[in-house]
Amino acid sequence: MNAVALAGTGLITALGSGPHAFWGGLLRGERAFGELTAFEGDFRSRTVAAVPPSVFPAAPDRTTPGRRKHTMALAAAAQALRAAGLPGLPAGALVVLVSQAPGTADGTAREFTGPDPAALLVALGSSPGQAAVVHLSHACASAAFAASFARDWLLSGLGDTALVVGASALNPYEYASMDVVRTLSPGGARPFDTTRDGITVGEGGGAFVLETAARANRRGHRPKAWLSGAACLVDSTQAVASEPAAIRAAMRGALEDAGVGRVDYVHAHATGTAQGDAAEVEAVGELARELGPHPVPVSSHKGAVGHLLHASAFPALVAAVGFLREARLPGTPGLRAPLEVPDGVVTVRESTAAVRAEHVLVNSFGFSGNNASLVLSAAGR
């Protein structure tokens, strides 16, 4: 069996604290967008999806993005461990941190660094010598690459529990990098819409616990879902643009890895850029024609909480779990005039009941040709 158990998830987004807050807001079609107040600058857009003070206080760590990332990541990790029924991080676990650069130990981490690994382990009831810690950075596909890496580690027999954790906080360094390449939407991201004009940067923290099937069975823990397949590809032909052939290859590879010949829903990366969204639906259309007569529903969460950059796959996985457990397709907040899509693809505007909910593809892509697709399968309701 190549599947590993997705034992628990944790999430902080602009929609609130916890996976349920995000999932409920997504089903209602909420758009948690507002004005950028964290810092000044002459940007193409000042529309963001900030975590509100009611969820995470704006002071004092708003002025130190690295510290804010650390606190949000820690909160999400604690949620994930509780959801997994674990009192703390088990000895011998793998911890995969995702961010642009490793965290620093002095508590004043720069904008582009992630959580401080030593402090995180202590807060989770472990210590640097009791867990294996790895840092992964694959642009906006980082958390999905980490899921694949952790699954391989578990299946290799190196351990039986893994925690993947990361966060994104609004900061001038990363925000300016999005502005320079002209990807920011002045009015707010509208994935798959004919009027889409760019991304909305969001912030938040995410985490999930993976464990071997044997350990889940020993504990009597019913997983949220099974991570049954994964494919990670780096395509060097495009620095920024998405490449349909690479996206299609990633999705095919994940389905083949899972031994699955049908997909009931694709939770798309779809950030709201003209080229990226079009490339993704083109690739899904080609895949749909290969898989058979059943239409493939597609939607994106980024019109609700924005793009969490390195942490963007965390809300995507929560959305996938919600679909599998409730047999309900989440809509795409902000989608008003859907772009024309290939035969076999259906863009989901508003939440609706699913015809079938057994397997879902989660796509996650990033600059420099980082492409990842994951297959999650139902674990029973």
Side-chain angles (χ1 to χ4, degrees), residues 89-155:
L89 191 65
L94 170 71
V95 178
V96 187
L97 303 176
V98 296
S99 65
Q100 193 163 341
T104 58
D106 60 6
T108 60
R110 298 177 183 176
E111 289 96 334
F112 48 88
T113 58
D116 171 30
L120 185 73
L121 291 178
V122 170
L124 296 177
S126 185
S127 67
Q130 293 181 312
V133 180
V134 173
H135 174 264
L136 283 186
S137 185
H138 284 271
C140 297
S142 293
F145 269 76
S148 177
F149 178 88
R151 173 174 171 263
D152 287 345
W153 187 87
L154 293 170
L155 293 176

Side-chain angles (χ1 to χ4, degrees), residues 60 67 93 141 214 217 224-225 229 246 262 283 296 319 341 344 354 371 381:
R67 194 176 304 156
N217 289 335
K224 305 296 182 185
R262 169 175 171 163
V296 177
V341 297
N371 300 281
R381 302 185 187 96

Side-chain angles (χ1 to χ4, degrees), residues 47-61:
T47 300
V48 297
V51 174
S54 58
V55 176
F56 248 81
D61 58 354

Side-chain angles (χ1 to χ4, degrees), residues 7-222:
T9 60
L11 191 63
I12 307 288
T13 70
L15 284 172
S17 178
H20 291 296
F22 165 77
W23 177 242
L26 186 61
L27 291 183
R28 292 188 294 272
E30 296 177 7
R31 283 164 65 79
F33 294 170
E35 182 77 10
L36 173 65
T37 60
F39 46 86
E40 297 299 322
D42 184 17
F43 303 114
R44 181 170 182 256
S45 170
R46 296 193 67 84
T47 300
V48 297
V51 174
S54 58
V55 176
F56 248 81
D61 58 354
R62 171 65 80 184
T63 58
T64 53
R67 194 176 304 156
R68 185 168 172 82
K69 288 181 186 181
H70 177 84
T71 55
M72 288 193 293
L74 176 59
Q79 289 177 8
L81 289 169
R82 285 196 300 270
L86 295 172
L89 191 65
L94 170 71
V95 178
V96 187
L97 303 176
V98 296
S99 65
Q100 193 163 341
T104 58
D106 60 6
T108 60
R110 298 177 183 176
E111 289 96 334
F112 48 88
T113 58
D116 171 30
L120 185 73
L121 291 178
V122 170
L124 296 177
S126 185
S127 67
Q130 293 181 312
V133 180
V134 173
H135 174 264
L136 283 186
S137 185
H138 284 271
C140 297
S142 293
F145 269 76
S148 177
F149 178 88
R151 173 174 171 263
D152 287 345
W153 187 87
L154 293 170
L155 293 176
S156 72
L158 290 171
D160 55 21
T161 307
L163 172 71
V164 177
V165 59
S168 178
L170 289 166
N171 65 83
Y173 178 90
E174 290 174 320
Y175 202 79
S177 72
M178 294 294 102
D179 186 66
V180 165
V181 294
R182 302 186 64 79
T183 62
L184 298 177
S185 168
R190 296 186 179 278
F192 300 130
D193 198 281
T194 56
T195 65
R196 66 195 186 279
D197 57 0
I199 74 170
T200 294
V201 178
E203 66 174 0
F208 52 86
V209 175
L210 299 176
E211 62 182 359
T212 61
R215 177 173 169 80
N217 289 335
R218 286 197 307 270
R219 295 197 302 124
H221 180 73
R222 189 181 75 176

Side-chain angles (χ1 to χ4, degrees), residues 237-331:
T237 61
Q238 298 287 344
V240 176
S242 297
E243 172 56 50
I247 296 172
R248 185 175 63 252
M251 292 189 294
R252 278 179 180 161
L255 289 170
E256 290 172 2
D257 186 40
V260 170
R262 169 175 171 163
V263 62
D264 304 310
Y265 165 55
V266 174
H267 190 82
H269 181 70
T271 61
T273 63
Q275 191 276 335
D277 289 11
E280 190 167 8
V281 294
E282 178 184 336
V284 174
E286 293 177 5
L287 182 70
R289 287 193 294 273
E290 295 174 6
L291 295 180
H294 303 286
V296 177
V298 179
S299 70
S300 168
H301 69 269
K302 293 184 178 70
V305 297
H307 189 358
L308 271 59
L309 306 179
H310 287 72
S312 66
F314 291 113
L317 286 172
V318 170
V321 168
F323 164 75
L324 292 171
R325 293 178 69 85
E326 298 183 15
R328 190 148 198 92
L329 290 160

